[in-house]
Amino acid sequence: MSLIEDLPQGWKEYRVSESPSPTWTYRHQYLDVEVSVLGMDADEMNPEADTDLFYSISLQWAADGFGGVEDFFDPVDQITSEANARDWTLALMTQIDNQFVPGDTNYVGRAMRAAEGQQTTSGSSSNFADEPTCPACDAPFFQFRGMDTYEQAQNHFEYMDDEEHEGWDVSIEQA
């Protein structure tokens, strides 16, 4: 049972569980970000609700070389149907790609605001002097999926398909 049949480019279904509650987890192919949708028993949350399930959307993404951030995406209205959960999740995934700016770790926060139709401001770069960064755009490699800097750099160069990154290749020694 899949929540979303046609995922945006770059996204993959990672895990699906139907018990005890339906849960769908999606991972970005290149960026180190994960989106999970959890169906929760409405009787436990609000016995008078006119629905069987409430849906909650959570995210995890890399914030620095050694840690990550976990947050919930809570749109104004509660998500009470599978169709609404699918629509919100698709909007969020699309905005994650739209809001990504190399070197800015706040792109997921902007994506959440943009998915709700709020105004967002452009990203700002941070100083990652102690982190391995891209020689073309200075983005820290930790923003990308991978178990080590080599894999993260590979995913960075595959994702950053632009003129600035043309001709660059991974030159980090693989451990």
Side-chain angles (χ1 to χ4, degrees), residues 3 7 9 12 28-30 32 52 72 74 92 118 137 143 148 162 168:
L3 178 67
L7 291 168
Q9 185 175 350
K12 304 286 183 211
H28 197 279
Q29 183 177 350
Y30 302 106
D32 193 359
D52 292 332
F72 286 93
D74 296 315
L92 188 55
Q118 297 177 24
C137 69
Q143 289 184 295
D148 57 27
D162 59 15
W168 287 98

Side-chain angles (χ1 to χ4, degrees), residues 160-173:
M160 301 302 294
D161 185 22
D162 59 15
E163 196 172 298
E164 186 179 8
H165 287 82
E166 195 172 304
W168 287 98
D169 200 359
V170 178
S171 62
I172 297 170
E173 296 285 325

Side-chain angles (χ1 to χ4, degrees), residues 52-143:
D52 292 332
L53 296 171
F54 283 113
Y55 295 86
S56 178
I57 301 173
S58 66
L59 299 102
Q60 296 178 340
W61 69 97
D64 61 36
F66 300 103
V69 175
E70 294 184 34
D71 201 358
F72 286 93
F73 174 65
D74 296 315
V76 175
D77 295 328
Q78 287 186 318
I79 303 171
T80 59
S81 74
E82 195 171 292
N84 280 345
R86 178 179 34 260
D87 292 346
W88 280 114
T89 304
L90 280 169
L92 188 55
M93 285 189 233
T94 300
Q95 286 299 327
I96 285 171
D97 277 314
N98 290 346
Q99 298 296 324
F100 177 76
V101 175
D104 179 12
T105 57
N106 193 33
Y107 68 99
V108 176
R110 279 195 314 279
M112 288 190 277
R113 289 187 300 280
E116 290 187 280
Q118 297 177 24
Q119 288 291 99
T120 61
T121 57
S122 62
S124 61
S125 295
S126 300
N127 181 8
F128 300 105
D130 296 338
E131 302 291 338
T133 60
C134 173
C137 69
D138 208 31
F141 289 134
F142 69 75
Q143 289 184 295

